[in-house]
Amino acid sequence: MRKKIAIFVLIGWVLLIIGDRVDELRVYQGAQMAMYTIALASIVLLTGYSGQVSLGNGAMMAVGGYGAALTLNNLGTPIWFAFLMAIVTASLFGALLGAAAARVSGPYLAGTTLALAVGLPAIANQFAFLGGEPGLLFDVGFPPERFGDEFTQYKWFFWIACFIALIAIFVTSNILSSRFGRTWRAIRGNSLAAELCGVHSARMKVLAFTVSSGLAGLAGAVLAMTISLVAPGAYGLALSFALVTGAVLAGISSLPGVVLGAFILVVIPEISVALADRLGDADKLNNYLPGLIVSVLLILSVIFTPNGPGENLRKHRHKKPAH
Amino acid sequence: MQKVIETLLIGLSTGSIYALMSLALVLVWRSTRVVNFAQAGQAMLSTYIGFEIASRSEIFWLGLVFAIAAGALVGAGVDYFFMRVLFKHATSGPAAVVAPVIATLGLLGLIRSIVGLTWGGEFKSIEAPASTDGFSVGDGTIPFSNLDVLIIATVSIILIALAYIFQRTNLGLALRASAYAPEIAQLAGIRTARTRTIGWSIAGAVGGVAGMLVTSNNFLSPYSLDLLLVFGFIAAVIGGLESMVGSVIGALVLGIGLTFILNYVGTSLVFIGGFSVLILVLLIKPDGIMAKGKARRA
């Protein structure tokens, strides 16, 4: 435990140094990467450990984003409390949704979350306090003055995002190596056997979805911070798809892998813009090329390395796969 | 009173389109144990092909025939080139259970981007095959039109044809047998893999019809069928995902219910209404309305 804390502090220190050395755009992408790291951890927890699929984690992120924005705008609380409320709102919502859909085995959770992601704009338009299509502002404010004039807004975002991501990943890794993580893996492996050992599998599955929703909500608030607003457009189906892709690419049950997945998700738009520039007809390509890259990567990885690149390396080394 | 009746009729026409989509989902679920979320993409691709033919030839029905053919081809192709490979590779490890669902998601994204790159994102519309003006009743007109009659008629013909195939032909028997007990069906001499591909292609064709019909009084875009997929899924859940009759009943009930919300409460509540139905069904009767006793575990 003490070793783990030391490692996380070390990573934080390295991140601080990196944040000082690179330019504005990279700092912004760093904040994005921290956001994706949290979001992917929520998918690893849900899919890689408890064996359920959510196709609408983007929608759960939206719930967190709205929760944070409403708290900050209406109550004028400190920022950290807004992020806390993002977790609380999204977990509550996840618990309600999970009580209906995660309780029963089968494709119900996948379908329900997908439905939520598809209907997100309709829901945001329905309730006036969610601000409709343009959404709500989410402004965490300027960096504190004692950091000096050199300290830019994006660097402040980067600091907050990295700090939150480090804590979130630390907590998640502890949850996953605790009794709960083991129980979830047991249910995923064989729910009947787990139930015979006294595990209440339906309840544990709902719990997994609740925790995963809380994490996703936190990621949603971080995303809202980096773009300074919460609007349904930012949390659409494309985001949910990208999250699943990132998690599968990096190994669906590997928590350290989420950093790689987050890196890939940040790089894809960059590659796609460069490609679109070279190929011409920028409008169409800009709209659909990222989606094309994401889905091709998803399909290839789910067919050829469904358990992540790590498994294939292990197989290669041992030749005979151990089961 | 008149408003109630016209709402019922419109709901019937809406629900019958949902019925096709939910049938497509149920057909694939029964044979493959996957809810095919790519169905929206397959239907969209078929509808774009149907749109292309219909707008060139100016004959809606020719477009519909091509959409059916394209849907069947795409459906069979997805199973043959994609699902078979997937089931060969992803057989063990933590991702084995979730790989098929995730794969259909990838496929939906892939088809969407291909359609977007080919046809662009702007809205297209298909010339409706019949008048969309309402019938006149007494001294007013009601929103129920020739097109709605045509939609209900088309869907009825397809449902009767499907019922005939499934109940009266050897192919239908093979389809039912390999969905119910694949191993025993195989022992009885049914080529289950090929039968499954045929099931996928029937589902694809049905999805293609759903796409064409829903587009005939609406717009077509790379995203326009997502909501149809969601409502089809809800209808299938009402029917318990297993039962084809249940999914049709579920779709009609959902269509009528949502049309009542549309006419009496407002447009913006339609989705929330549908979503609440989904949650309620999952809470109260997760095995669906057709469940008899204890359903088999999926």
Side-chain angles (χ1 to χ4, degrees):
Chain A
M1 191 70 180
R2 201 167 288 167
K3 203 172 137 198
K4 212 182 206 172
I5 296 178
I7 291 174
F8 273 82
V9 170
L10 186 73
I11 296 175
W13 183 65
V14 171
L15 283 175
L16 274 186
I17 296 177
I18 293 175
D20 272 339
R21 295 284 184 282
V22 296
D23 63 51
E24 196 77 322
L25 175 67
R26 300 291 169 222
V27 166
Y28 175 70
Q29 287 175 328
Q32 265 191 323
M33 211 175 123
M35 178 274 290
Y36 279 131
T37 306
I38 310 172
L40 291 181
S42 83
I43 293 203
V44 165
L45 192 151
L46 183 74
T47 310
Y49 276 73
S50 85
Q52 308 177 82
V53 191
S54 162
L55 303 183
N57 253 40
M60 298 318 288
M61 287 174 69
V63 174
Y66 278 110
L70 287 173
T71 312
L72 195 69
N73 295 352
N74 294 337
L75 306 175
T77 57
I79 313 165
W80 63 266
F81 189 75
F83 283 110
L84 196 67
M85 282 311 286
I87 304 179
V88 173
T89 329
S91 333
L92 276 179
F93 199 78
L96 287 176
L97 207 63
R103 186 176 55 101
V104 279
S105 57
Y108 298 104
L109 187 67
T112 309
T113 47
L114 182 77
L116 192 66
V118 169
L120 187 67
I123 296 174
N125 284 330
Q126 173 56 28
F127 298 106
F129 66 93
L130 296 180
E133 202 65 46
L136 299 171
L137 281 180
F138 185 67
D139 184 10
V140 296
F142 298 114
E145 276 176 17
R146 63 172 175 281
F147 290 137
D149 293 336
E150 299 280 288
F151 203 91
T152 61
Q153 186 74 41
Y154 281 130
K155 205 157 148 193
W156 181 228
F157 289 163
F158 176 72
W159 276 35
I160 299 179
C162 286
F163 182 68
I164 294 178
L166 280 173
I167 297 179
I169 298 299
F170 180 73
V171 172
T172 311
S173 101
N174 281 340
I175 295 177
L176 289 183
S177 56
S178 75
R179 188 167 67 89
F180 295 108
R182 280 197 306 279
T183 316
W184 287 329
R185 263 183 304 176
I187 295 172
R188 185 200 66 205
N190 188 334
S191 71
L192 202 60
E195 274 176 32
L196 284 172
C197 295
V199 171
H200 197 306
S201 86
R203 201 181 292 164
M204 290 304 286
K205 271 156 71 181
V206 177
L207 181 70
F209 187 63
T210 309
V211 176
S212 159
S213 303
L215 267 175
L218 182 63
V222 174
L223 172 59
M225 173 186 75
T226 56
I227 58 176
S228 299
L229 90 166
V230 199
Y235 297 92
L237 265 184
L239 177 65
S240 301
F241 284 20
L243 291 180
V244 174
T245 307
V248 173
L249 274 179
I252 194 83
S253 56
S254 137
L255 188 62
V258 295
V259 181
L260 173 68
F263 178 75
I264 295 173
L265 290 187
V266 173
V267 167
I268 286 174
E270 192 125 311
I271 294 177
S272 128
V273 167
L275 262 181
D277 275 351
R278 189 158 302 171
L279 296 173
D281 193 9
D283 205 27
K284 240 187 210 173
L285 285 173
N286 274 335
N287 280 336
Y288 294 101
L289 204 55
L292 188 68
I293 297 175
V294 164
S295 14
V296 168
L297 279 177
L298 179 59
I299 289 174
L300 289 179
S301 63
V302 93
I303 288 183
F304 294 109
T305 67
N307 298 309
E311 190 206 42
N312 284 41
L313 287 177
R314 274 196 298 281
K315 260 190 194 169
H316 206 68
R317 220 179 290 153
H318 298 299
K319 281 298 170 205
K320 267 190 186 162
H323 283 294
Chain B
M1 192 55 209
Q2 192 194 337
K3 196 176 177 189
V4 174
I5 292 171
E6 69 185 49
T7 309
L8 267 175
L9 287 172
I10 300 271
L12 210 59
S13 139
T14 318
S16 60
I17 298 180
Y18 295 166
L20 291 183
M21 188 46 123
S22 75
L23 263 181
L25 292 176
V26 167
L27 275 173
V28 168
W29 167 258
R30 280 161 50 112
S31 68
T32 321
R33 296 281 129 189
V34 178
V35 170
N36 181 19
F37 293 111
Q39 188 61 252
Q42 290 169 234
M44 182 182 60
L45 181 59
S46 328
T47 311
Y48 265 99
I49 290 170
F51 153 79
E52 204 54 44
I53 301 291
S55 60
R56 296 239 170 113
S57 66
E58 293 180 357
I59 307 171
F60 177 84
W61 301 106
L62 196 63
L64 185 70
V65 170
F66 270 84
I68 293 175
L73 269 179
V74 174
V78 166
D79 185 52
Y80 193 84
F81 294 109
F82 190 71
M83 284 296 158
R84 284 193 193 185
V85 182
L86 180 76
F87 283 117
K88 228 174 259 170
H89 277 89
T91 47
S92 66
V97 193
V98 295
V101 178
I102 293 179
T104 65
L105 185 72
L107 208 58
L108 174 58
L110 180 68
I111 298 177
R112 203 201 302 283
S113 1
I114 290 175
V115 166
L117 286 173
T118 317
W119 280 281
E122 60 269 15
F123 288 159
K124 317 261 188 207
S125 65
I126 298 178
E127 184 85 24
S131 147
T132 49
D133 302 330
F135 290 118
S136 41
V137 174
D139 42 343
T141 59
I142 59 170
F144 190 71
S145 65
N146 278 326
L147 180 65
D148 291 302
V149 176
L150 212 59
I151 287 175
I152 295 175
T154 312
V155 174
S156 310
I157 291 171
I158 287 170
L159 291 184
I160 291 169
L162 279 179
Y164 179 80
I165 290 176
F166 270 82
Q167 297 298 334
R168 288 275 185 272
T169 64
N170 282 337
L171 173 66
L173 190 62
L175 281 165
R176 280 187 292 151
S178 37
Y180 187 71
E183 271 136 24
I184 298 172
Q186 205 159 16
L187 287 174
I190 295 171
R191 295 185 182 183
T192 45
R194 201 173 68 179
T195 311
R196 210 181 66 187
T197 308
I198 295 175
W200 274 76
S201 87
I202 295 178
V206 171
V209 180
M212 283 298 277
L213 290 183
V214 85
T215 308
S216 63
N217 57 2
N218 216 320
F219 291 104
L220 181 64
S221 85
Y223 295 89
S224 63
L225 296 185
D226 285 357
L227 212 54
L228 180 64
L229 173 78
V230 167
F231 289 144
F233 174 74
I234 298 176
V237 170
I238 297 176
L241 278 181
E242 289 281 341
S243 149
M244 292 167 55
V245 180
S247 76
V248 172
I249 297 174
L252 294 180
V253 170
L254 185 72
I256 292 171
L258 292 184
T259 311
F260 267 100
I261 294 180
L262 179 72
N263 278 3
Y264 285 87
V265 191
T267 327
S268 54
L269 272 179
V270 168
F271 176 80
I272 295 174
F275 194 72
S276 318
V277 170
L278 175 64
I279 298 292
L280 281 179
V281 171
L282 286 178
L283 281 176
I284 299 164
K285 219 160 167 31
D287 290 330
I289 48 169
M290 300 301 279
K292 297 187 201 84
K294 189 80 190 121
R296 89 176 206 229
R297 287 176 79 113

